[in-house]
Amino acid sequence: LSPKPRQYSTKAKGAQEAHEAIRPAGSSFRTPRATGLSDEKLKLYDLIWKRTVASQMADARQTQLSVDLQVENAGFRSSGKRIDFPGYLRAYVEGSDDPNAAIEDQEIILPALVKGDHPDCKKLDALDHFTQPPARYTEASLVKMLESEGIGRPSTYASIISTIIDRGYAQLQSNALVPTFTAFAVTALLEKHFQDLVDPHFTARMEQSLDDISTGATQWLPYLEKFYFGDTGLDNLVKQGFDNIDGKVARTIEFDDIEAKIRIGKFGPYIESEFGNASIPEGLTPADLAPETVEMLIEKKKSTPDILGHHPETGEPIYAKEGRYGPYVQLGDQGEDPKIKPRISSIPKEMNPADVTLEIAVELLKLPRSLGVHPETGGKLQTNVGRFGPYILYDRGKGDKEYRSLKAPDDVYTVTLERAVAILAEPKAVRGARGKKEPLRTLGNHPDDNEPIAIFAGPYGNYIKHGKTNAGVPEGETVEGISLETALSLLVAKGGAVKKTTAKKTTTAKKATATKAKTTTAKKTTTAKTTTTARKTTTKSKTS
């Protein structure tokens, strides 16, 4: 044990210690073996037990050893470590379930050497060592950084990360947060025109000010007036920004090793160079962009046949193009009105863009293909090929649309109106939905509402279900041993009491009138009682 009880303070100023997870409670702290737990519950309890006990144990004492060997003009170093007193390591070693084995693995015992010894070199290997770049932020390491900088609170970390991803500032790749082109452009804009607001210490200072307001050390109104209407306040900064910010420059990203410019357009980032322009495929991040990648994208754009020919009926030119979401064909040119778009159709993923001929393009441009109207609702039906494959669009009007995927053998070019209506009549599959859960045992019906009470298996153990109320099966109880009475008491303890059903509506007019009169009288009485109570409360408050 430590010579005296150990106290731990927060690492970051302003950290909310109320956001704790699990801690020991009660008067005794049983060892994991004495709990009778198993599987995940035992592992969790074992982790809590080890960390709690280790927090009150003495420090470990270690001896670090270092040996330098000099051979002519080459120097070698060997480091070792000996654990003299394990201390808290006997109870807990991070990342290991067996502290004793981990202690042995941590020790590196060097042979006994004295100054002047001449070791015998039997083999010499030359090994390459490359310095690795700093690791990208993960959600966990980003939270750790925010905590150390005093930015945010534990209750806001999840929303901060969610905002970064939802707004397209970062992509999750193998648990790493990889910044996007949008993130580069937005960051450059903010650093140039709103430098104070993106200072890492800005949020920490603001939260300190808000803490001072909450304790009464600072007045809130003067603080907000200065923050918003001050000389360097937000209002003035935004007004200056609108006058000084050049939209084209703000949407441009320049890299030191890439001659081409990257611009953020309406439909995503694209490359602009003297050799031509090319869209950047979705999912390609700045980390993946190299001079070779830029050259490949521009060459791919050039090698794609631009004009395939002219439409046999309208005479308009048909182009094969590469877009953000893949290759597509386009009928005609963009007119002066930007709201009127030329007709386009995606090239299916299984088709090589280089193999698309004029005849194939004409067939593709038949999409979207109108099937007619729904015989019952009058809604419009059409087929098309989208980003995720062929589909049916059911437009009921006023923005009410429904999409259904088309699967083989149904074909987007040949499916009929009758077949489309039949597909829409089928139940829509819900992503991630599961079938109806079967109960382990049905106990009977609830005496109040006659709804069934049953026992189900859940991820955290068996539970009793009645309507929307769930109650866990107590430890030691079996599925077969629980009676209906026991289940009712457990549901009541969870707040699952059911109001008794109201009496059936009377059929005669007299009974209905009498019921209405009674209800009105009851309401008046309740109102009167409430008013009296309110008056009494007011009088008592004034007297106080």
Side-chain angles (χ1 to χ4, degrees):
L1 286 174
S2 175
K4 58 181 180 180
R6 309 191 70 165
Q7 301 291 333
Y8 294 89
S9 59
T10 59
K11 294 181 180 178
K13 185 179 179 181
Q16 294 176 337
E17 292 302 319
H19 289 264
E20 59 187 348
I22 304 172
R23 62 186 173 96
S27 58
S28 63
F29 197 25
R30 290 176 290 173
T31 60
R33 292 183 181 178
T35 59
L37 299 173
S38 60
D39 300 330
E40 286 82 4
K41 294 180 180 178
L42 177 61
K43 293 178 181 177
L44 178 59
Y45 186 91
D46 183 65
L47 176 64
I48 299 168
W49 188 90
K50 285 178 178 177
R51 294 200 61 153
T52 306
V53 171
S55 71
Q56 295 303 316
M57 292 177 68
D59 291 331
R61 293 195 301 271
Q62 304 174 357
T63 299
Q64 301 286 343
L65 305 174
S66 182
V67 176
D68 291 322
L69 305 177
Q70 192 66 31
V71 182
E72 296 183 359
N73 62 345
F76 300 87
R77 171 171 291 180
S78 181
S79 300
K81 181 171 69 174
R82 184 179 69 240
I83 298 176
D84 302 316
F85 175 67
Y88 74 93
L89 295 176
R90 282 291 183 205
Y92 179 72
V93 175
E94 184 145 3
S96 174
D97 293 330
D98 187 353
N100 291 327
I103 290 175
E104 293 179 3
D105 292 339
Q106 286 186 354
E107 284 193 310
I108 303 173
I109 306 300
L110 296 180
L113 294 171
V114 295
K115 187 174 181 180
D117 281 353
H118 294 271
D120 183 16
C121 180
K122 297 180 178 178
K123 186 180 180 183
L124 189 65
D125 294 326
L127 303 177
D128 290 333
H129 176 72
F130 298 97
T131 303
Q132 296 296 321
R136 291 197 182 279
Y137 280 117
T138 62
E139 292 187 20
S141 61
L142 181 58
V143 167
K144 189 174 182 180
M145 188 280 294
L146 293 173
E147 185 180 17
S148 65
E149 294 287 343
I151 299 173
R153 294 288 187 265
S155 58
T156 62
Y157 292 149
S159 62
I160 290 173
I161 295 173
S162 176
T163 301
I164 292 171
I165 297 174
D166 294 343
R167 293 190 180 178
Y169 297 147
Q171 295 179 356
L172 267 177
Q173 296 182 1
S174 303
N175 295 327
L177 292 166
V178 182
T180 62
F181 292 98
T182 305
F184 274 70
V186 171
T187 302
L189 173 69
L190 293 175
E191 286 181 342
K192 184 176 181 180
H193 299 280
F194 304 94
Q195 191 170 7
D196 291 339
L197 298 182
V198 293
D199 180 4
H201 301 293
F202 165 76
T203 306
R205 292 196 303 269
M206 172 182 252
E207 289 179 347
Q208 180 60 52
S209 300
L210 296 177
D211 290 340
D212 293 341
I213 291 172
S214 66
T215 58
T218 303
Q219 295 298 317
W220 66 271
L221 188 56
Y223 171 79
L224 289 179
E225 287 179 341
K226 181 181 178 182
F227 172 76
Y228 193 77
F229 294 111
D231 295 336
T232 57
L234 185 61
D235 188 44
N236 283 333
L237 285 176
V238 173
K239 289 178 180 177
Q240 294 170 12
F242 275 114
D243 297 333
N244 300 330
I245 295 174
D246 185 341
K248 190 173 183 180
V249 175
R251 293 184 290 105
T252 303
I253 308 170
E254 296 186 7
F255 295 94
D256 294 337
D257 57 339
I258 298 176
E259 294 182 3
K261 293 181 179 179
I262 311 299
R263 298 193 189 276
I264 308 297
K266 184 178 179 181
F267 303 104
Y270 64 94
I271 301 167
E272 184 180 280
S273 71
E274 58 181 353
F275 304 104
N277 301 344
S279 298
I280 296 177
E282 189 180 21
L284 189 73
T285 64
D288 306 321
L289 198 65
E292 299 78 16
T293 313
V294 172
E295 186 178 348
M296 183 268 292
L297 290 173
I298 294 176
E299 286 299 322
K300 184 178 180 182
K301 178 72 176 359
K302 287 182 177 180
S303 62
T304 304
D306 195 13
I307 184 167
L308 298 173
H310 293 79
H311 197 282
E313 298 176 5
T314 66
E316 295 177 282
I318 297 178
Y319 303 97
K321 296 190 173 185
E322 184 78 23
R324 183 183 180 190
Y325 301 116
Y328 65 94
V329 291
Q330 174 180 312
L331 177 62
D333 298 301
Q334 176 67 56
E336 294 182 359
D337 189 351
K339 295 182 180 179
I340 302 177
K341 302 291 184 183
R343 193 169 190 174
I344 64 172
S345 182
S346 299
I347 297 175
K349 293 181 180 179
E350 63 273 9
M351 187 180 296
N352 187 355
D355 297 335
V356 176
T357 61
L358 178 62
E359 292 74 18
I360 295 175
V362 170
E363 287 296 316
L364 291 173
L365 288 167
K366 288 181 180 179
L367 302 176
R369 175 172 161 256
S370 178
L371 300 179
V373 296
H374 198 286
E376 297 178 5
T377 64
K380 297 178 182 178
L381 291 171
Q382 65 181 31
T383 61
N384 203 349
V385 175
R387 188 176 168 194
F388 303 106
Y391 64 90
I392 297 173
L393 170 59
Y394 178 26
D395 188 356
R396 300 183 182 89
K398 296 183 179 180
D400 185 8
K401 296 181 180 181
E402 182 178 347
Y403 297 85
R404 293 293 183 92
S405 297
L406 267 179
K407 306 293 182 184
D410 293 314
D411 185 71
V412 69
Y413 296 101
T414 58
V415 66
T416 62
L417 174 64
E418 292 74 18
R419 175 58 183 156
V421 171
I423 293 173
L424 288 167
E426 298 173 358
K428 191 172 184 179
V430 181
R431 187 178 296 177
R434 299 177 180 176
K436 188 176 179 181
K437 206 171 188 179
E438 295 295 329
L440 299 176
R441 179 183 166 216
T442 302
L443 301 175
N445 294 337
H446 201 288
D448 290 341
D449 60 3
N450 208 32
E451 290 294 323
I453 299 175
I455 302 176
F456 291 85
Y460 306 108
N462 299 330
Y463 63 94
I464 302 165
K465 182 175 181 63
H466 167 246
K468 294 183 179 180
T469 305
N470 297 337
V473 174
E475 289 191 21
E477 291 280 359
T478 61
V479 175
E480 294 77 15
I482 292 182
S483 62
L484 179 60
E485 291 73 17
T486 305
L488 286 171
S489 62
L490 291 171
L491 289 169
V492 170
K494 288 288 289 185
V498 180
K499 294 180 180 179
K500 293 187 177 181
T501 54
T502 56
K504 293 182 179 178
K505 295 182 179 179
T506 54
T507 54
T508 62
K510 289 182 180 180
K511 287 184 179 180
T513 305
T515 305
K516 186 175 181 181
K518 287 180 181 178
T519 307
T520 307
T521 307
K523 285 181 179 177
K524 288 181 178 178
T525 307
T526 306
T527 306
K529 286 182 179 179
T530 306
T531 307
T532 306
T533 307
R535 285 175 181 170
K536 288 180 180 179
T537 306
T538 306
T539 306
K540 187 176 181 181
S541 176
K542 287 180 178 179
T543 306
S544 301

